[in-house]
Amino acid sequence: MTKYEREIYHIITGSVKHLTVEQIYMEIKNKYPKVVLATVYNNVNKLWKAGLIRKVSVENMPDRYDRLTRHDHLVCQRCGRLADISFEDLTVSLRRQLGEDFLSYDLKVFYLCPDCRKQEKNKDNI
Amino acid sequence: MTKYEREIYHIITGSVKHLTVEQIYMEIKNKYPKVVLATVYNNVNKLWKAGLIRKVSVENMPDRYDRLTRHDHLVCQRCGRLADISFEDLTVSLRRQLGEDFLSYDLKVFYLCPDCRKQEKNKDNI
DNA sequence: CTAAATGCAAACTATTTGCAACGAT
DNA sequence: ATCGTTGCAAATAGTTTGCATTTAG
């Protein structure tokens, strides 16, 4: 593992946030001011391909990265904000129902985050 | 609904495929040769925002569009190919476990599609 | 000394936007 | 006549790539 790889790995896994490449880049820049965005992209991809981090894709949002610890996501339908949830582990039941040997699964639950719910209410009252 | 909107809606919902905007565009072009890509994007977005179709985002893939009929997806980890599956409906149990009033959910199960599995095997044998 | 990682710029893909012309009410 | 839709071109966002240079083992 190189300096940046390790750094990026720790930024991603040592936080409960869901950071975009841009955000990771900003954070690394504090410590290593001459890093460039492409390097972050390269390392993040390397980590992802090595199965060390998780990539979270949501429609109309840049990809975000996450630690592997088992959990699911609550996604705001409107602003894309992510929050962690721990719904029951579906592995066994997927295996039973699908028979397929699958590698992993990804469960996203859509909702309106508190902020966006507020905005919706305000709209109604106008 | 305009001509294109209706057409696009039928292309998406009348098939079990998971088409990209590019593919929808190609298909429409047969019937209406002077349609442009941007129009397809606009209409697909309109339909999506109206809640009439589903958008399927997978890492490193262009977005694909799908009918609403309840089903989940099997996603090839390697080539991104999509297949439909009907895993048990999680709505009730999500509501029970999360308490949150959520809008919908999205379950993707990753696997290696037959083609990609073959390729993996070939690699091993070299 | 070698191989891999980095910085940098340019390229690319997917998608969106602004605007003038068009078409349907 | 008006307003939304289309065609078109240009812009943007996110991401990847090629290559010369640097770095680490």
Side-chain angles (χ1 to χ4, degrees), chain A residues 58-59 61 64 74-83 116:
Chain A
V58 173
E59 307 88 69
M61 292 278 136
R64 282 166 286 186
L74 213 46
V75 183
C76 178
Q77 181 98 282
R78 184 182 238 254
C79 72
R81 184 183 303 187
L82 281 176
C116 288

Side-chain angles (χ1 to χ4, degrees), chain A residues 40-118:
Chain A
V40 180
Y41 272 105
N42 288 334
N43 280 300
V44 139
N45 273 332
K46 214 173 143 209
L47 289 167
W48 180 62
K49 281 178 193 151
L52 295 172
I53 56 172
R54 206 165 148 185
K55 190 190 286 218
V56 185
S57 288
V58 173
E59 307 88 69
N60 317 331
M61 292 278 136
D63 286 342
R64 282 166 286 186
Y65 293 87
D66 202 357
R67 71 217 138 87
L68 292 179
T69 327
R70 212 208 86 57
H71 64 278
D72 307 294
H73 289 120
L74 213 46
V75 183
C76 178
Q77 181 98 282
R78 184 182 238 254
C79 72
R81 184 183 303 187
L82 281 176
D84 289 352
I85 48 171
S86 282
F87 186 63
E88 57 175 316
D89 190 331
L90 298 173
T91 309
V92 171
S93 133
L94 276 167
R95 191 144 286 142
R96 195 169 39 225
Q97 282 187 52
L98 301 178
E100 306 270 357
D101 40 352
F102 65 91
L103 304 166
S104 64
Y105 74 90
D106 172 30
L107 175 66
K108 295 205 184 77
V109 180
F110 294 92
Y111 81 135
L112 281 182
C113 74
D115 286 6
C116 288
R117 208 171 312 163
K118 241 178 259 168

Side-chain angles (χ1 to χ4, degrees), chain B residues 67-124:
Chain B
R67 71 216 135 88
L68 292 179
T69 327
R70 213 207 86 57
H71 64 277
D72 307 295
H73 289 120
L74 214 45
V75 183
C76 177
Q77 181 98 280
R78 185 182 237 255
C79 73
R81 184 183 304 189
L82 281 178
D84 288 351
I85 48 171
S86 281
F87 186 63
E88 54 174 322
D89 189 330
L90 299 172
T91 309
V92 171
S93 126
L94 276 167
R95 193 145 285 143
R96 194 167 41 223
Q97 283 188 52
L98 302 178
E100 306 271 358
D101 40 351
F102 65 93
L103 304 166
S104 63
Y105 74 90
D106 172 30
L107 176 67
K108 295 203 182 79
V109 180
F110 294 92
Y111 81 135
L112 282 182
C113 74
D115 287 6
C116 289
R117 207 171 312 165
K118 242 178 256 168
Q119 283 184 36
E120 287 290 322
K121 272 190 196 154
N122 289 340
K123 257 206 243 167
D124 294 350

